[in-house]
Amino acid sequence: MNMKDTLRQMKEEALEKINEVGADLEQIRVRYLGKKGELTAVLRGMGQLSAEERPVVGQIANEVRANIEEALTRRAEEMKAKALEMKLKAEKLDVTMPGKAPAMGHIHPLTLVQRDLEDIFMGMGFSIVEGPEVEYDYYNFQALNIPPEHPARDTQDTFYITDKILLRSQTSPVQARTMEKQKPPIRIISPGRVYRSDPVDATHSPLFHQLEGLVVDKGITMGDLRGTLDVFAKKEFGEDTRVRFRPHHFPFTEPSAEVDISCFSCGGKGCKLCKGEGWIEILGAGMVHPHVLEMGNIDPNEYSGFAFGFGIERIAMLKYHIDDMRLLYENDVRFLKQF
Ligand code: DAH
């Protein structure tokens, strides 16, 4: 085969290879145009050619080189464009695809009730204060007129850290702490956890929640207590709700009352919820005992006050017809989803 044909054939072969799917362009370039490549080999043999033939073959060789180079560049650009197109296709975002909704959390019924109560009392000008759950015996009992050995302690057996430090059995110690720190007028509520060494059953738990209320000012009467609880009962249980006071005893209030509301399920006729009574016991309340005011450095001749306290679980259970307290702490999503 003469040199011209070799060159032409080389060109055909090279162009074909360049256009093959998945061609390795660098390898092709080295094979044909590299220092040890096929074209270079042909050029080396040019010495044997005649003087007339040399420029002709030289020109063809230059054309072949140019053709192959051009084809390599064009193909490289093509491959680059193709790769980009594939990449864009792969990365394309379909904004019409249905989204994956995150599993949203949910407010616990106890929190719902607590927030309700906070809103109601804040609406009447109360502010919210918090007290420690690990409490001194002094605030939990003594400052509330319950000295050591007082029988009222038996009803609120709790967990002791030391002789003097315990898990608070009620939110009432926040009354004593507030009076020590703040001069009247005082108008606070204090929600939070309390503890008692009760075994767990449908209506008892060693941990539960209470909400305490305290108002101290000049000229506060039981009428103010009554009016405040009336507003609370209507807002929380419905506008037709009536409130009833029954005489009771708490060491830190005098007089004291247990407070019932008319049954919001039957309106007072008697039903399963109120156990046929027409009334539901809801909280304890009374006028702050003068001795408790004194221990809080407030002069009972100048000031008077009222206090109340209730269980948040009890309200949640009544309101949502929950018949077992344990459901509130098990955190079974199937239960919690309902509120
Ligand atoms: N602390 C009482 C209890 O846990 C409830 C209570 C009764 C709170 C009367 C008060 C009150 O503020 O005046 O049983």
Side-chain angles (χ1 to χ4, degrees), residues 167-278:
L167 297 186
R168 67 179 182 184
S169 61
Q170 47 185 349
T171 43
S172 304
V174 184
Q175 288 188 35
R177 285 179 171 274
T178 305
M179 285 187 271
E180 261 188 10
K181 272 205 295 271
Q182 193 184 325
K183 292 297 115 200
I186 293 170
R187 208 187 288 156
I188 58 114
I189 54 165
S190 186
R193 293 193 191 99
V194 300
Y195 301 83
R196 295 197 190 169
S197 58
D198 287 331
V200 176
D201 66 25
T203 53
H204 293 87
S205 162
L207 180 161
F208 60 105
H209 300 73
Q210 286 187 337
L211 187 140
E212 193 78 14
L214 174 69
V215 170
V216 182
D217 203 352
K218 284 185 176 140
I220 296 293
T221 70
M222 211 151 179
D224 297 308
L225 171 60
R226 175 89 202 201
T228 303
L229 294 180
D230 257 350
V231 170
F232 148 72
K234 285 183 176 14
K235 289 237 158 93
E236 182 63 18
F237 297 104
E239 279 303 313
D240 297 332
T241 311
R242 284 158 292 130
V243 169
R244 171 174 93 169
F245 279 38
R246 277 180 292 108
H248 198 73
H249 172 262
F250 296 105
F252 38 92
T253 44
E254 180 58 34
S256 304
E258 268 188 336
V259 180
D260 303 336
I261 54 163
S262 57
C263 179
F264 52 87
S265 187
C266 64
K269 288 194 281 295
C271 67
K272 196 168 156 249
L273 186 74
C274 58
K275 299 192 179 80
E277 294 286 324

Side-chain angles (χ1 to χ4, degrees), residues 25-39:
L25 298 181
E26 181 55 16
Q27 195 200 321
I28 295 169
R29 195 189 61 77
V30 171
R31 173 164 170 190
Y32 293 101
L33 308 180
K35 269 190 200 140
K36 291 175 190 160
E38 291 185 19
L39 184 67

Side-chain angles (χ1 to χ4, degrees), residues 67-79:
N67 281 324
I68 294 176
E69 268 172 355
E70 206 181 285
L72 282 169
T73 313
R74 180 187 43 75
R75 180 84 169 117
E77 265 160 24
E78 251 174 51
M79 285 169 105

Side-chain angles (χ1 to χ4, degrees), residues 47-93:
Q48 300 156 16
L49 294 176
S50 65
E52 300 92 73
E53 266 186 318
R54 219 177 286 156
V56 181
V57 172
Q59 200 191 339
I60 294 173
N62 282 341
E63 272 168 29
V64 168
R65 174 184 288 281
N67 281 324
I68 294 176
E69 268 172 355
E70 206 181 285
L72 282 169
T73 313
R74 180 187 43 75
R75 180 84 169 117
E77 265 160 24
E78 251 174 51
M79 285 169 105
K80 215 168 118 190
K82 184 91 193 155
L84 180 66
E85 191 189 315
M86 305 261 285
K87 190 167 172 243
L88 289 178
K89 221 182 222 166
E91 286 176 359
K92 196 160 108 187
L93 190 67

